[in-house]
Amino acid sequence: INAYKSGQVLQMKIFQKQNSTLQNTVINSNNFTTIISVSVQGISNNSQFFVHFDCNSGVGGTGYDSFDSRLLLLNNNIDYPSLPVLSTKFIQFDSDNRFSNMMLFPISGAKNTEGAGAYSVIVQARRNTSDDDLKIFDDKFCMTVTEVQN
């Protein structure tokens, strides 16, 4: 049996262009679209995953546009997991701040694990009331997943 101390970092994984690929770089649907999904193996039965994702993004056009982003942690050992949303963000534009990099990202969150095993960490976004697309620039992104003992 491993004797981990409370607060001990058990593992930290960093995903970026050198070792990962974005699944979608244009968000143009009202349904949540996966930007990146990675698998991590939990070490402890009593820990938390802390997740942080950031990327360079922008919206073209003019007028009213709104988007949502969310960060998910799925336990791959459960057949029908609930939707464990770690964090959500919303942004709304009219005619200003259209090229801000602090729109929907960075996004971060934490969740207790449901035991050691395989987990999927997923970042998604969707277009709400918008006629313009959200573009993710795939050369500048980073996701950090850290497991910490409770």
Side-chain angles (χ1 to χ4, degrees), residues 109-124:
K111 185 175 187 323
N112 284 330
T113 60
E114 298 165 340
Y119 289 83
S120 294
V121 181
I122 304 166
V123 177
Q124 296 179 325

Side-chain angles (χ1 to χ4, degrees), residues 2-146:
N2 293 319
Y4 301 118
K5 294 181 181 178
S6 180
Q8 180 179 349
V9 173
L10 305 178
Q11 63 175 320
M12 178 184 282
K13 297 191 180 287
I14 299 172
F15 302 92
Q16 53 192 353
K17 185 171 179 138
Q18 291 78 3
N19 63 359
S20 301
T21 304
L22 297 181
Q23 290 177 241
N24 292 286
T25 57
V26 176
I27 306 303
N28 57 9
S29 172
N30 293 76
N31 297 316
F32 275 105
T33 302
T34 297
I35 297 168
I36 187 170
S37 177
V38 298
S39 295
V40 293
Q41 186 73 27
I43 295 173
S44 172
N45 288 323
N46 184 25
S47 63
Q48 289 187 57
F49 278 116
F50 293 89
V51 181
H52 180 83
F53 175 81
D54 199 4
C55 66
N56 189 4
S57 60
V59 176
T62 59
Y64 182 84
D65 296 304
S66 65
F67 297 87
D68 289 308
S69 64
R70 69 182 180 185
L71 179 60
L72 308 173
L73 179 69
L74 299 177
N75 183 336
N76 296 343
N77 301 316
I78 297 175
D79 288 337
Y80 299 100
S82 60
L83 195 60
V85 177
L86 300 182
S87 184
T88 61
K89 275 192 170 181
F90 169 80
I91 189 72
Q92 175 179 308
F93 297 106
D94 195 353
S95 295
D96 55 356
N97 296 327
R98 198 154 282 274
F99 295 103
S100 170
N101 280 333
M102 293 186 66
M103 301 181 325
L104 296 172
F105 309 106
I107 189 168
S108 58
K111 185 175 187 323
N112 284 330
T113 60
E114 298 165 340
Y119 289 83
S120 294
V121 181
I122 304 166
V123 177
Q124 296 179 325
R126 73 175 173 190
R127 176 169 82 177
N128 286 317
T129 53
S130 174
D131 59 353
D132 296 308
D133 298 340
L134 170 69
K135 296 187 188 287
I136 309 293
F137 303 105
D138 66 350
D139 59 334
K140 294 185 176 103
F141 72 91
C142 184
M143 181 161 55
T144 305
V145 179
T146 306

